[in-house]
Amino acid sequence: GEDVEQSLFLSVREGDSSVINCTYTDSSSTYLYWYKQEPGAGLQLLTYIFSNMDMKQDQRLTVLLNKKDKHLSLRIADTQTGDSAIYFCAESRTGRRALTFGSGTRLQVQP
Amino acid sequence: KAGVTQTPRYLIKTRGQQVTLSCSPISGHRSVSWYQQTPGQGLQFLFEYFSETQRNKGNFPGRFSGRQFSNSRSEMNVSTLELGDSALYLCASSFEGPTEAFFGQGTRLTVV
């Protein structure tokens, strides 16, 4: 099965909070990441969390990690139309110098 | 400071040809990784270079190869192109390993 799974699509209204979820299978994951990709562009690193942390906040972004359930979420407060993009969850593990990505969640923000 | 630069941005090649893509990492970064992004397979890891040495390789055929130069710039080469090689090829640079990896805009390769 997939190492990292995400739901495909999320639609929210401007000003609401968005929560994008991700599950991973490997308990040896060391770091977990959120990347954003806008049309025609590369990947933008939004934030990452070390596996021994539960939460990380960075301005409008809050990352929650439930290591027991292998569940990661990204909350975007006060979502704006400029937040419309595809969001990728990714993980890396000690000894494997590569990122394993989920399939991405397309976030659509309705005005 | 300048970000990761990938050239060219777009390429159209014919089946059977070969292609070379280039990546200039952020100044001071010594790790360069390559990823392939397709609608069907998503983002897949190709290989990672650090100080001119390939340290890790993904599950791609030998037609995909790469190298890194002493200034940390990297190239990847795909020989005997197939239609299925059409993809966005992304390069990422970091100081060491995948943590805080920054991606370039990618090279869009179309094989016809």
Side-chain angles (χ1 to χ4, degrees):
Chain A
E2 293 292 326
D3 292 315
V4 182
E5 289 193 6
Q6 300 178 239
S7 53
L8 290 181
F9 185 76
L10 175 66
S11 180
V12 300
R13 290 205 175 276
E14 193 174 16
D16 287 350
S17 291
S18 308
V19 179
I20 303 171
N21 295 301
C22 168
T23 57
Y24 59 98
T25 57
D26 196 328
S27 57
S28 64
S29 296
T30 313
Y31 286 94
L32 295 128
Y33 310 79
W34 285 104
Y35 280 87
K36 176 184 179 183
Q37 187 175 38
E38 296 181 81
L43 297 173
Q44 176 192 351
L45 176 63
L46 291 176
T47 186
Y48 64 95
I49 187 168
F50 188 50
S51 58
N52 69 352
M53 296 170 64
D54 298 325
M55 185 183 91
K56 182 178 180 182
Q57 188 155 0
D58 184 1
Q59 298 184 326
R60 293 191 297 124
L61 306 179
T62 303
V63 178
L64 294 178
L65 175 60
N66 181 326
K67 198 171 180 182
K68 174 176 168 288
D69 294 338
K70 300 188 186 68
H71 182 268
L72 181 76
S73 68
L74 173 70
R75 178 177 179 268
I76 305 173
D78 188 25
T79 312
Q80 302 297 307
T81 53
D83 295 322
S84 294
I86 300 176
Y87 290 79
F88 290 92
C89 169
E91 61 92 19
S92 65
R93 59 196 82 155
T94 303
R96 185 172 186 270
R97 299 177 185 88
L99 295 166
T100 300
F101 287 90
S103 54
T105 299
R106 181 179 296 276
L107 174 64
Q108 181 181 73
V109 182
Q110 314 251 9
Chain B
K1 58 183 176 183
V4 179
T5 303
Q6 290 188 246
T7 56
R9 288 293 311 278
Y10 303 93
L11 265 178
I12 300 176
K13 289 287 188 178
T14 305
R15 269 183 304 175
Q17 287 186 314
Q18 74 162 16
V19 67
T20 299
L21 313 182
S22 179
C23 173
S24 293
I26 292 170
S27 177
H29 285 187
R30 292 199 291 165
S31 171
V32 175
S33 300
W34 289 89
Y35 292 81
Q36 181 196 63
Q37 185 177 26
T38 60
Q41 298 298 316
L43 280 151
Q44 294 188 288
F45 171 73
L46 281 154
F47 26 67
E48 188 252 1
Y49 287 87
F50 183 85
S51 292
E52 302 180 66
T53 300
Q54 185 184 93
R55 296 196 300 186
N56 202 1
K57 189 175 189 304
N59 190 25
F60 277 81
R63 301 186 296 107
F64 291 81
S65 62
R67 59 178 175 168
Q68 187 180 34
F69 302 95
S70 58
N71 63 358
S72 293
R73 190 177 72 83
S74 177
E75 289 180 347
M76 69 163 278
N77 184 277
V78 188
S79 62
T80 319
L81 284 165
E82 301 177 0
L83 295 179
D85 298 332
S86 294
L88 181 66
Y89 289 89
L90 293 162
C91 161
S93 83
S94 66
F95 283 111
E96 209 284 340
T99 311
E100 289 199 22
F102 294 90
F103 282 77
Q105 296 277 71
T107 294
R108 170 78 59 188
L109 172 66
T110 303
V111 182
V112 297

